[in-house]
Amino acid sequence: MSNFKNYVNGEWTESASGETFENVNPADSRDIIGTFPKSGNADVAKAIEAASTAYKVWSAMPAPKRGDILRVAGDIFNRRKDELARVMTREMGKPVFETKGDIQEAIDTAYYSATETRRLFGYTAPSEMPNKMNLSFRMPIGVCGIITAWNFPIAVPSWKILPALACGNTIVWKPSEDSPMSANIFAEILEEAGVPKGVFNVIHGLGETGSAIVEHPDVKLIGFTGSTVTGKKIAERCGALNKKVSLEMGGKNAVIIMNDADIDLAIEGVLWGAFGTTGQRCTATSRAIVHKDVYDIFLQKLTEKTIALKLGAGLEDSTQVGPVINKKQYEKILGYIEIGKEQGARLVTGGAKAEGADVEHGNFIQPTVFADVTNDMRIFKEEIFGPVLSVSKANSYSHAIELANDCEYGLSSSIYTSDVNLAFSAIRSIEAGITYINAPTIGAEAHMPFGGIKGTGNGHREGGWTVFDIFTEWKTVYIDYSGGLQRAQIDNY
Ligand code: NAD
């Protein structure tokens, strides 16, 4: 077992207290990957000091030069893709084909951010006065605190960290305590790419470490991905401290399947959406809302395919569905399965922990489908974050939309239909940040805005051009070359 460290000011360091936590393979509790520092206020302060000092140099570097470094980082992520994918699978469970996809998002984001360093456009506008020029520029913000979840250990942090660096900010990142080793490889990659000392720092720990970053006066912005409960707490503190905060939080995503849909295609999409990453995606398909005319056939075919899914350790090539992340989440998901049964949902398949030699040492739960789920049931409303799909019957298109929107979250959504009018109507009517037509609720691309409404977000979008709105502030510049005093709103009207 190895003792891993924090990455502060370009050095690998222990926590001041020497306290640590363990990182355990969710597919096999006998496999302890290593210990990581449980960092306290003093460790956080050192990282922030390093990031503050480095900010002066990094923010002054021409943006395209920063882009050159990010491009190299993309190349190194690519070179280390197979090795990193296996590390990620070992520590968080999803199959290697998925962790490779996770890294590909970072590669895409690195190249995209690198390119955008030549396109951090501002606006110019005519002045209302003669011989005066109005310009605007995107300015970096300073030290950004990044706090992330474990289900996309590389992709999600990359959506924040790489664009933030492109803009000239420096970073103190607290990765999830459930995927810390991937974070250390992230640091190795940025270091090799040429990111200077202090620009990027990794501080390990639990919630208190994240909280110490939020509280520190020299951290100007918090970029958070995690649960809505934690996100709201962070937002409250950032409100009190007047810090910019961008939140990517929970989801309870619905797919609508209409009676004119290609049912086999829809089932393929629902299987991938519900049980990919063992249902542990913020965009996972958690609710299928199926038109009454195709309800029975959909359930029958879906059940057959769900039973056939191969559960196992993500490091095995044949595995389609891995374990859930940790014992706490395992118990929570099994608890929700019991709630579903108690509240009268019809268990169609799964509904228990998995049995067998392959899975006895890990956090394995059978892919589970509940039918006849009504909108007053907790499994319809609450984020479970596991391999549990609720299927509900809709009498009509408008009933389906009503059910889809009866939800406190608003991240992703989907509709399967061959009626172009319904598809366009759904784009307008579904309350979510993302809507897919004839595709599952998962499948975001790095160059498009990503995020949600309602309980999922606070109005920001990562990904695409919109992420640069998070990590920059506007500077407006007026240049008066008239040689006289010109008073806006007074002298010219
Ligand atoms: P979590 O909220 O428990 O933890 C997220 C991060 O916050 C971790 O690094 C954790 O250590 C830290 N943290 C915990 N308490 C804190 C506090 N008081 N102050 C500061 N930091 C604190 O979430 P999780 O269980 O790791 O992740 C699962 C959740 O993440 C799900 O709700 C899922 O939907 C959400 N998620 C959202 C997106 C998105 O883009 N919308 C993406 C991935 C995951």
Side-chain angles (χ1 to χ4, degrees):
M1 188 170 71
S2 312
N3 298 319
F4 293 91
K5 296 182 180 165
N6 290 328
Y7 181 71
V8 176
N9 205 19
E11 307 289 335
W12 295 98
T13 56
E14 313 265 2
S15 66
S17 68
E19 280 187 67
T20 57
F21 65 90
E22 277 185 353
N23 182 18
V24 182
N25 180 344
D28 185 347
S29 59
R30 298 164 303 177
D31 178 23
I32 312 290
I33 295 159
T35 63
F36 287 80
K38 206 190 257 184
S39 310
N41 288 351
D43 308 304
V44 166
K46 268 196 184 155
I48 293 168
E49 194 187 333
S52 301
T53 305
Y55 176 70
K56 296 182 190 95
V57 176
W58 183 248
S59 60
M61 184 187 278
K65 294 284 173 209
R66 295 193 296 259
D68 291 345
I69 294 174
L70 294 176
R71 195 172 299 105
V72 177
D75 293 342
I76 304 170
F77 271 115
N78 206 8
R79 192 189 79 216
R80 296 188 67 178
K81 189 172 181 180
D82 289 356
E83 165 216 349
L84 176 52
R86 297 189 76 78
V87 166
M88 211 193 301
T89 293
R90 185 176 166 211
E91 71 175 350
M92 62 70 64
K94 65 188 174 188
V96 171
F97 70 89
E98 288 197 41
T99 46
K100 282 187 186 168
D102 194 308
I103 298 159
Q104 188 58 44
E105 284 195 47
I107 297 167
D108 295 343
T109 303
Y111 294 147
Y112 182 73
S113 299
T115 309
E116 288 297 299
T117 56
R118 291 183 183 268
R119 293 168 20 115
L120 289 170
F121 296 141
Y123 295 88
T124 60
S127 168
E128 62 187 47
M129 315 231 234
N131 299 321
K132 195 176 164 199
M133 186 185 285
N134 298 351
L135 314 168
S136 63
F137 298 90
R138 286 186 183 277
M139 304 297 286
I141 293 178
V143 178
C144 298
I146 303 296
I147 300 170
T148 50
W150 47 268
N151 60 338
F152 283 87
I154 295 290
V156 162
S158 80
W159 292 354
K160 301 174 197 295
I161 291 165
L162 303 177
L165 290 175
C167 295
N169 302 288
T170 56
I171 306 288
V172 175
W173 174 28
K174 195 209 84 66
S176 170
E177 52 272 39
D178 284 310
S179 56
M181 193 170 164
S182 302
N184 281 16
I185 297 180
F186 201 122
E188 287 170 16
I189 289 172
L190 291 197
E191 181 178 85
E192 187 187 338
V195 171
K197 281 179 195 302
V199 169
F200 174 73
N201 304 274
V202 179
I203 283 283
H204 293 289
L206 314 184
E208 308 88 73
T209 312
S211 180
I213 295 173
V214 172
E215 296 296 326
H216 198 288
D218 294 341
V219 172
K220 304 300 178 201
L221 174 151
I222 296 293
F224 171 80
T225 293
S227 64
T228 298
V229 171
T230 309
K232 281 183 174 170
K233 276 190 214 155
I234 290 177
E236 270 177 38
R237 289 306 301 150
C238 288
L241 297 165
N242 193 27
K243 289 187 188 196
K244 192 169 183 183
V245 56
S246 124
L247 303 170
E248 297 286 351
M249 302 181 285
K252 186 76 188 171
N253 313 292
V255 51
I256 294 174
I257 293 137
M258 290 304 300
N259 50 352
D260 56 13
D262 176 336
I263 294 294
D264 292 325
L265 180 69
I267 286 167
E268 227 182 308
V270 170
L271 270 182
W272 174 229
F275 303 120
T277 321
T278 323
Q280 304 168 111
R281 289 181 181 227
C282 50
T283 53
T285 306
S286 182
R287 298 178 295 150
I289 298 167
V290 185
H291 192 280
K292 61 179 170 36
D293 295 351
V294 290
Y295 188 78
D296 291 338
I297 186 73
F298 171 83
L299 264 179
Q300 184 206 317
K301 288 188 171 192
L302 178 78
T303 306
E304 285 163 13
K305 297 245 175 188
T306 304
I307 291 168
L309 288 171
K310 172 80 178 76
L311 201 64
L315 290 170
E316 301 295 329
D317 287 345
S318 59
T319 294
Q320 291 171 292
V321 180
V324 302
I325 187 68
N326 54 34
K327 280 282 171 247
K328 191 171 158 214
Q329 199 49 29
Y330 175 80
E331 297 300 339
K332 183 178 159 192
I333 297 163
L334 290 174
Y336 268 112
I337 290 173
E338 289 312 307
I339 291 167
K341 290 178 194 165
E342 280 160 23
Q343 292 197 321
R346 177 161 59 95
L347 181 66
V348 180
T349 181
K353 65 180 189 177
E355 308 277 357
D358 291 0
V359 295
E360 64 180 325
H361 296 291
N363 311 321
F364 290 95
I365 296 177
Q366 296 171 357
T368 297
V369 178
F370 279 108
D372 305 345
V373 177
T374 51
N375 59 348
D376 53 346
M377 292 180 188
R378 285 182 61 192
I379 59 168
F380 182 91
K381 295 173 194 235
E382 297 173 21
E383 186 183 45
I384 300 173
F385 221 57
V388 182
L389 174 72
S390 297
V391 183
S392 307
K393 193 184 280 185
N395 301 324
S396 62
Y397 165 75
S398 47
H399 184 212
I401 295 285
E402 201 181 298
L403 287 173
N405 288 344
D406 187 4
C407 176
E408 71 173 271
Y409 299 102
L411 182 51
S412 189
S413 58
S414 150
I415 182 167
Y416 282 85
T417 178
S418 55
D419 181 336
V420 70
N421 294 345
L422 288 190
F424 276 92
S425 167
I427 291 168
R428 194 193 57 228
S429 304
I430 296 178
E431 296 167 0
I434 305 167
T435 297
Y436 292 88
I437 306 296
N438 293 327
T441 57
I442 60 185
E445 298 179 32
H447 58 292
M448 294 299 286
F450 180 91
I453 60 173
K454 297 159 87 174
T456 298
N458 69 335
H460 294 287
R461 291 291 182 274
E462 293 183 345
W465 58 96
T466 45
V467 72
F468 299 100
D469 293 333
I470 300 176
F471 291 106
T472 55
E473 292 273 16
W474 284 105
K475 163 71 67 78
T476 306
V477 179
Y478 299 99
I479 303 169
D480 191 324
Y481 53 98
S482 68
L485 172 66
Q486 301 196 84
R487 296 177 300 177
Q489 294 92 37
I490 295 172
D491 291 338
N492 57 343
Y493 288 109

